[in-house]
Amino acid sequence: MKAFLNIVSRDLRLALRQKSDLTMAVLFFILTAMLFPFGLGPEPNLLARIAPGIIWVTALLAVLLSLERLFLADYEDGSLEQLILSSTSLEVAVLAKVLAHWLTTGLPLILAAPLIALLFNMDSDAMTILLIAMILGTPSLSLIGAIAATLTLGARRGGVLIPLLVLPLYIPTLIFGVGAIDAAMNSLEAGAVIANARPHLLLLGAILLVSLLITPLAGAAALRQSVE
Amino acid sequence: MEQITNFLSMGNYGAYIWTAYLLTAAVMLGLLVTTLQRLRKNKAELAEFQTIQNSTKQSGHKEETARP
Amino acid sequence: MSVFHRFANPNRFLKLTNQVLPWVSGLTVISLAVGLYMSFFTSPPDYQQGESVRIMYIHVPSAWMAMFVYTSIAIASVCSLIWRHPLADLAAKASAPIGAGFTFLALATGSLWGKPMWGAWWVWDARLTSVLILFFLYLGHMALMHAFEEQERGNKAAAVLAIVGFVNIPIIKFSVDWWNTLHQPASVMRADGPSIDPSMLWPLMIMGVAFKLFYIVVLLIRIKSELIEAKLRKYRRAVVDKAH
């Protein structure tokens, strides 16, 4: 547990020192989302209808951009090798790295999402569900992405490989993330919002649990191979 | 003749059915042909290496016997 | 020594392959010929779909193969990671392009069947989407395998990916049961027995067997090729070493 917190705080300190990395994902998220009203026209009803999809797709791409540096610095400066030789369990270390990654990319995205939702005329019910869905969904994005980040360490064209490996695995999260908000927006009575979105949110939770289970195992296996 | 055109038209679904079958044949044949080509290429290269190795072995052998 | 390890010796494997290959090839040709004949001449047109149902005899076996080959890759990957079986990596590497080919065929023939039946080349339903994901998993697997300087690292990384991606296989299988979609539910692989008429079931099964045999033939040749390539790499390295 102590090793876990050590890794998290170390990564957070490193991220805070390099503020450009920290802000890049959020800036990318806001800027790309802002392109859509220009591309599709500023009709408020249309924008409100497509907002869930735009927010999720751009959030997904923002996370994707940040994945390459998740393990690369540690791999290049040799601290990964030290970690493997140390007594810390690699599974725990992977989870710690993922938590730090989520705190520096996923969490800022969640905080920025209401702003975009406002710009796209989303109503408050849908916005609540959007936030719940993102709280359940973005950790899965970090977890699944970590597998691809560990697998491509030391690969030629690693940066190009990550999207190919990760995007197919992101599709379920995208489907249910958007589905939850769509269900909320389509419910006519005020009380039915949560009930309608519930199955989608439960499935997002299931994806989170499965990736919480798989990522430490797969990530640790991949890290061990990367330094062999 | 009419029988043949009837068969080919497949109740007006001919275009879809024949495209599907031709595509399948193309992919499966493609897999088989590229696989066989690679095997032949590899076999040829291996044979080349082995003849080189045999000749160098023989010449090396001669050198050794010639030395004393 | 278990059966499992008996085939770990490449030379024994090559010998066995050379013995088996002519027989399997012959069986493939025969079953393909019989299957094709039956699917065009002895099977009736469907009472709803008419002649277009004949696409089923290549579409469904292709889809079976897409999942079967991926499952084989996943099993080979487990063998490679846990027992470090030397042939497992080769089998996974040799299988991937075949699986990708069949997945492409399942998607393409499904599209050609969907256009006259549903009026659209593609619909975004659960079954189609999950098979499309499978196709990208195959591509990712192949790309990862060739992305490293040392082949060994590529093999292991691809093995981890194959095992992680296996979660998609049950999703494909049950997607038509979990979501009510346009795609028809399973009619052959059912717990209560097939719901399809024998005159259509037989050609379908024979084509299914023919496709599996075809996979075995191409797989064995590819593994043979890989084994030769491993020898070639040794020779090439020896040449480079001598030059230095």
PDB file of all heavy atoms in Angstrom, chain A residues 147-170:
ATOM      1  N   ILE A 147      -2.859  -1.115 -20.831  1.00  0.00           N
ATOM      2  CA  ILE A 147      -2.432  -2.387 -21.435  1.00  0.00           C
ATOM      3  C   ILE A 147      -1.696  -2.112 -22.736  1.00  0.00           C
ATOM      4  O   ILE A 147      -0.590  -2.613 -22.968  1.00  0.00           O
ATOM      5  CB  ILE A 147      -3.649  -3.302 -21.700  1.00  0.00           C
ATOM      6  CG1 ILE A 147      -4.389  -3.609 -20.395  1.00  0.00           C
ATOM      7  CG2 ILE A 147      -3.197  -4.604 -22.355  1.00  0.00           C
ATOM      8  CD1 ILE A 147      -5.615  -4.463 -20.594  1.00  0.00           C
ATOM      9  N   ALA A 148      -2.302  -1.282 -23.585  1.00  0.00           N
ATOM     10  CA  ALA A 148      -1.666  -0.979 -24.872  1.00  0.00           C
ATOM     11  C   ALA A 148      -0.349  -0.251 -24.657  1.00  0.00           C
ATOM     12  O   ALA A 148       0.635  -0.496 -25.359  1.00  0.00           O
ATOM     13  CB  ALA A 148      -2.602  -0.146 -25.732  1.00  0.00           C
ATOM     14  N   ALA A 149      -0.315   0.655 -23.660  1.00  0.00           N
ATOM     15  CA  ALA A 149       0.921   1.411 -23.414  1.00  0.00           C
ATOM     16  C   ALA A 149       2.052   0.484 -22.995  1.00  0.00           C
ATOM     17  O   ALA A 149       3.193   0.658 -23.429  1.00  0.00           O
ATOM     18  CB  ALA A 149       0.674   2.463 -22.344  1.00  0.00           C
ATOM     19  N   THR A 150       1.751  -0.533 -22.163  1.00  0.00           N
ATOM     20  CA  THR A 150       2.810  -1.446 -21.743  1.00  0.00           C
ATOM     21  C   THR A 150       3.220  -2.375 -22.887  1.00  0.00           C
ATOM     22  O   THR A 150       4.391  -2.694 -23.036  1.00  0.00           O
ATOM     23  CB  THR A 150       2.367  -2.320 -20.553  1.00  0.00           C
ATOM     24  OG1 THR A 150       1.104  -2.911 -20.875  1.00  0.00           O
ATOM     25  CG2 THR A 150       2.226  -1.498 -19.297  1.00  0.00           C
ATOM     26  N   LEU A 151       2.233  -2.779 -23.701  1.00  0.00           N
ATOM     27  CA  LEU A 151       2.546  -3.732 -24.776  1.00  0.00           C
ATOM     28  C   LEU A 151       3.431  -3.106 -25.841  1.00  0.00           C
ATOM     29  O   LEU A 151       4.203  -3.800 -26.497  1.00  0.00           O
ATOM     30  CB  LEU A 151       1.254  -4.239 -25.427  1.00  0.00           C
ATOM     31  CG  LEU A 151       0.481  -5.293 -24.653  1.00  0.00           C
ATOM     32  CD1 LEU A 151      -0.797  -5.649 -25.380  1.00  0.00           C
ATOM     33  CD2 LEU A 151       1.331  -6.538 -24.483  1.00  0.00           C
ATOM     34  N   THR A 152       3.322  -1.797 -26.067  1.00  0.00           N
ATOM     35  CA  THR A 152       4.058  -1.178 -27.174  1.00  0.00           C
ATOM     36  C   THR A 152       5.384  -0.590 -26.725  1.00  0.00           C
ATOM     37  O   THR A 152       6.056   0.058 -27.526  1.00  0.00           O
ATOM     38  CB  THR A 152       3.219  -0.070 -27.821  1.00  0.00           C
ATOM     39  OG1 THR A 152       2.759   0.800 -26.788  1.00  0.00           O
ATOM     40  CG2 THR A 152       2.039  -0.633 -28.559  1.00  0.00           C
ATOM     41  N   LEU A 153       5.778  -0.795 -25.450  1.00  0.00           N
ATOM     42  CA  LEU A 153       7.066  -0.266 -24.997  1.00  0.00           C
ATOM     43  C   LEU A 153       8.195  -0.865 -25.824  1.00  0.00           C
ATOM     44  O   LEU A 153       8.296  -2.077 -25.948  1.00  0.00           O
ATOM     45  CB  LEU A 153       7.284  -0.595 -23.515  1.00  0.00           C
ATOM     46  CG  LEU A 153       6.519   0.256 -22.512  1.00  0.00           C
ATOM     47  CD1 LEU A 153       6.778  -0.251 -21.108  1.00  0.00           C
ATOM     48  CD2 LEU A 153       6.907   1.704 -22.635  1.00  0.00           C
ATOM     49  N   GLY A 154       9.034   0.006 -26.387  1.00  0.00           N
ATOM     50  CA  GLY A 154      10.153  -0.486 -27.162  1.00  0.00           C
ATOM     51  C   GLY A 154       9.813  -0.891 -28.571  1.00  0.00           C
ATOM     52  O   GLY A 154      10.654  -1.397 -29.305  1.00  0.00           O
ATOM     53  N   ALA A 155       8.554  -0.678 -28.990  1.00  0.00           N
ATOM     54  CA  ALA A 155       8.149  -1.057 -30.345  1.00  0.00           C
ATOM     55  C   ALA A 155       8.549   0.025 -31.334  1.00  0.00           C
ATOM     56  O   ALA A 155       8.635   1.200 -30.984  1.00  0.00           O
ATOM     57  CB  ALA A 155       6.649  -1.281 -30.405  1.00  0.00           C
ATOM     58  N   ARG A 156       8.810  -0.411 -32.570  1.00  0.00           N
ATOM     59  CA  ARG A 156       8.934   0.577 -33.641  1.00  0.00           C
ATOM     60  C   ARG A 156       7.556   1.178 -33.881  1.00  0.00           C
ATOM     61  O   ARG A 156       6.566   0.478 -33.819  1.00  0.00           O
ATOM     62  CB  ARG A 156       9.388  -0.112 -34.937  1.00  0.00           C
ATOM     63  CG  ARG A 156      10.863  -0.449 -34.969  1.00  0.00           C
ATOM     64  CD  ARG A 156      11.140  -1.294 -36.196  1.00  0.00           C
ATOM     65  NE  ARG A 156      10.920  -2.715 -35.875  1.00  0.00           N
ATOM     66  CZ  ARG A 156      10.842  -3.671 -36.801  1.00  0.00           C
ATOM     67  NH1 ARG A 156      10.928  -3.371 -38.062  1.00  0.00           N
ATOM     68  NH2 ARG A 156      10.663  -4.922 -36.438  1.00  0.00           N
ATOM     69  N   ARG A 157       7.447   2.416 -34.139  1.00  0.00           N
ATOM     70  CA  ARG A 157       6.170   3.098 -34.390  1.00  0.00           C
ATOM     71  C   ARG A 157       5.168   2.845 -33.259  1.00  0.00           C
ATOM     72  O   ARG A 157       4.006   2.596 -33.499  1.00  0.00           O
ATOM     73  CB  ARG A 157       5.539   2.615 -35.715  1.00  0.00           C
ATOM     74  CG  ARG A 157       6.349   2.934 -36.945  1.00  0.00           C
ATOM     75  CD  ARG A 157       5.911   2.051 -38.072  1.00  0.00           C
ATOM     76  NE  ARG A 157       6.374   0.695 -37.856  1.00  0.00           N
ATOM     77  CZ  ARG A 157       5.694  -0.393 -38.149  1.00  0.00           C
ATOM     78  NH1 ARG A 157       4.509  -0.299 -38.652  1.00  0.00           N
ATOM     79  NH2 ARG A 157       6.193  -1.586 -37.921  1.00  0.00           N
ATOM     80  N   GLY A 158       5.638   2.884 -32.011  1.00  0.00           N
ATOM     81  CA  GLY A 158       4.754   2.605 -30.885  1.00  0.00           C
ATOM     82  C   GLY A 158       3.576   3.554 -30.844  1.00  0.00           C
ATOM     83  O   GLY A 158       2.452   3.155 -30.546  1.00  0.00           O
ATOM     84  N   GLY A 159       3.818   4.824 -31.156  1.00  0.00           N
ATOM     85  CA  GLY A 159       2.753   5.819 -31.089  1.00  0.00           C
ATOM     86  C   GLY A 159       1.628   5.559 -32.077  1.00  0.00           C
ATOM     87  O   GLY A 159       0.475   5.895 -31.817  1.00  0.00           O
ATOM     88  N   VAL A 160       1.962   4.965 -33.214  1.00  0.00           N
ATOM     89  CA  VAL A 160       0.932   4.674 -34.216  1.00  0.00           C
ATOM     90  C   VAL A 160       0.178   3.398 -33.837  1.00  0.00           C
ATOM     91  O   VAL A 160      -0.996   3.222 -34.149  1.00  0.00           O
ATOM     92  CB  VAL A 160       1.561   4.502 -35.618  1.00  0.00           C
ATOM     93  CG1 VAL A 160       0.502   4.553 -36.683  1.00  0.00           C
ATOM     94  CG2 VAL A 160       2.621   5.546 -35.862  1.00  0.00           C
ATOM     95  N   LEU A 161       0.890   2.503 -33.140  1.00  0.00           N
ATOM     96  CA  LEU A 161       0.290   1.219 -32.785  1.00  0.00           C
ATOM     97  C   LEU A 161      -0.799   1.372 -31.721  1.00  0.00           C
ATOM     98  O   LEU A 161      -1.815   0.687 -31.761  1.00  0.00           O
ATOM     99  CB  LEU A 161       1.378   0.307 -32.226  1.00  0.00           C
ATOM    100  CG  LEU A 161       1.861  -0.819 -33.111  1.00  0.00           C
ATOM    101  CD1 LEU A 161       2.990  -1.546 -32.428  1.00  0.00           C
ATOM    102  CD2 LEU A 161       0.734  -1.777 -33.416  1.00  0.00           C
ATOM    103  N   ILE A 162      -0.568   2.290 -30.771  1.00  0.00           N
ATOM    104  CA  ILE A 162      -1.495   2.401 -29.635  1.00  0.00           C
ATOM    105  C   ILE A 162      -2.945   2.620 -30.077  1.00  0.00           C
ATOM    106  O   ILE A 162      -3.829   1.906 -29.612  1.00  0.00           O
ATOM    107  CB  ILE A 162      -1.002   3.490 -28.651  1.00  0.00           C
ATOM    108  CG1 ILE A 162       0.245   2.982 -27.928  1.00  0.00           C
ATOM    109  CG2 ILE A 162      -2.078   3.827 -27.636  1.00  0.00           C
ATOM    110  CD1 ILE A 162       0.823   3.963 -26.933  1.00  0.00           C
ATOM    111  N   PRO A 163      -3.223   3.575 -30.988  1.00  0.00           N
ATOM    112  CA  PRO A 163      -4.632   3.732 -31.401  1.00  0.00           C
ATOM    113  C   PRO A 163      -5.229   2.464 -31.987  1.00  0.00           C
ATOM    114  O   PRO A 163      -6.374   2.116 -31.698  1.00  0.00           O
ATOM    115  CB  PRO A 163      -4.564   4.831 -32.463  1.00  0.00           C
ATOM    116  CG  PRO A 163      -3.322   5.558 -32.200  1.00  0.00           C
ATOM    117  CD  PRO A 163      -2.365   4.594 -31.599  1.00  0.00           C
ATOM    118  N   LEU A 164      -4.436   1.747 -32.782  1.00  0.00           N
ATOM    119  CA  LEU A 164      -4.946   0.510 -33.394  1.00  0.00           C
ATOM    120  C   LEU A 164      -5.301  -0.521 -32.335  1.00  0.00           C
ATOM    121  O   LEU A 164      -6.298  -1.238 -32.454  1.00  0.00           O
ATOM    122  CB  LEU A 164      -3.889  -0.045 -34.359  1.00  0.00           C
ATOM    123  CG  LEU A 164      -4.213  -1.378 -35.030  1.00  0.00           C
ATOM    124  CD1 LEU A 164      -5.448  -1.252 -35.902  1.00  0.00           C
ATOM    125  CD2 LEU A 164      -3.047  -1.876 -35.859  1.00  0.00           C
ATOM    126  N   LEU A 165      -4.503  -0.598 -31.279  1.00  0.00           N
ATOM    127  CA  LEU A 165      -4.770  -1.585 -30.238  1.00  0.00           C
ATOM    128  C   LEU A 165      -5.897  -1.138 -29.318  1.00  0.00           C
ATOM    129  O   LEU A 165      -6.700  -1.947 -28.857  1.00  0.00           O
ATOM    130  CB  LEU A 165      -3.507  -1.815 -29.385  1.00  0.00           C
ATOM    131  CG  LEU A 165      -2.270  -2.303 -30.108  1.00  0.00           C
ATOM    132  CD1 LEU A 165      -1.171  -2.612 -29.115  1.00  0.00           C
ATOM    133  CD2 LEU A 165      -2.581  -3.535 -30.920  1.00  0.00           C
ATOM    134  N   VAL A 166      -5.964   0.163 -29.066  1.00  0.00           N
ATOM    135  CA  VAL A 166      -6.836   0.645 -28.002  1.00  0.00           C
ATOM    136  C   VAL A 166      -8.248   0.975 -28.483  1.00  0.00           C
ATOM    137  O   VAL A 166      -9.228   0.653 -27.811  1.00  0.00           O
ATOM    138  CB  VAL A 166      -6.172   1.870 -27.341  1.00  0.00           C
ATOM    139  CG1 VAL A 166      -7.190   2.865 -26.885  1.00  0.00           C
ATOM    140  CG2 VAL A 166      -5.333   1.434 -26.161  1.00  0.00           C
ATOM    141  N   LEU A 167      -8.355   1.593 -29.640  1.00  0.00           N
ATOM    142  CA  LEU A 167      -9.678   2.081 -30.051  1.00  0.00           C
ATOM    143  C   LEU A 167     -10.729   0.976 -30.147  1.00  0.00           C
ATOM    144  O   LEU A 167     -11.848   1.163 -29.679  1.00  0.00           O
ATOM    145  CB  LEU A 167      -9.578   2.884 -31.355  1.00  0.00           C
ATOM    146  CG  LEU A 167      -8.936   4.257 -31.164  1.00  0.00           C
ATOM    147  CD1 LEU A 167      -8.865   5.022 -32.478  1.00  0.00           C
ATOM    148  CD2 LEU A 167      -9.695   5.085 -30.135  1.00  0.00           C
ATOM    149  N   PRO A 168     -10.404  -0.216 -30.724  1.00  0.00           N
ATOM    150  CA  PRO A 168     -11.434  -1.267 -30.725  1.00  0.00           C
ATOM    151  C   PRO A 168     -11.901  -1.611 -29.320  1.00  0.00           C
ATOM    152  O   PRO A 168     -13.092  -1.834 -29.088  1.00  0.00           O
ATOM    153  CB  PRO A 168     -10.730  -2.461 -31.374  1.00  0.00           C
ATOM    154  CG  PRO A 168      -9.596  -1.902 -32.117  1.00  0.00           C
ATOM    155  CD  PRO A 168      -9.187  -0.645 -31.439  1.00  0.00           C
ATOM    156  N   LEU A 169     -10.959  -1.618 -28.356  1.00  0.00           N
ATOM    157  CA  LEU A 169     -11.329  -1.993 -26.990  1.00  0.00           C
ATOM    158  C   LEU A 169     -12.087  -0.875 -26.276  1.00  0.00           C
ATOM    159  O   LEU A 169     -12.727  -1.113 -25.250  1.00  0.00           O
ATOM    160  CB  LEU A 169     -10.068  -2.364 -26.196  1.00  0.00           C
ATOM    161  CG  LEU A 169      -9.287  -3.562 -26.740  1.00  0.00           C
ATOM    162  CD1 LEU A 169      -7.974  -3.745 -25.992  1.00  0.00           C
ATOM    163  CD2 LEU A 169     -10.115  -4.841 -26.629  1.00  0.00           C
ATOM    164  N   TYR A 170     -12.014   0.347 -26.816  1.00  0.00           N
ATOM    165  CA  TYR A 170     -12.743   1.471 -26.215  1.00  0.00           C
ATOM    166  C   TYR A 170     -14.209   1.507 -26.642  1.00  0.00           C
ATOM    167  O   TYR A 170     -15.006   2.202 -26.026  1.00  0.00           O
ATOM    168  CB  TYR A 170     -12.093   2.800 -26.612  1.00  0.00           C
ATOM    169  CG  TYR A 170     -10.937   3.236 -25.730  1.00  0.00           C
ATOM    170  CD1 TYR A 170     -10.257   4.418 -25.982  1.00  0.00           C
ATOM    171  CD2 TYR A 170     -10.535   2.477 -24.641  1.00  0.00           C
ATOM    172  CE1 TYR A 170      -9.200   4.835 -25.186  1.00  0.00           C
ATOM    173  CE2 TYR A 170      -9.476   2.883 -23.848  1.00  0.00           C
ATOM    174  CZ  TYR A 170      -8.809   4.060 -24.122  1.00  0.00           C
ATOM    175  OH  TYR A 170      -7.765   4.469 -23.330  1.00  0.00           O
TER     176      TYR A 170
END
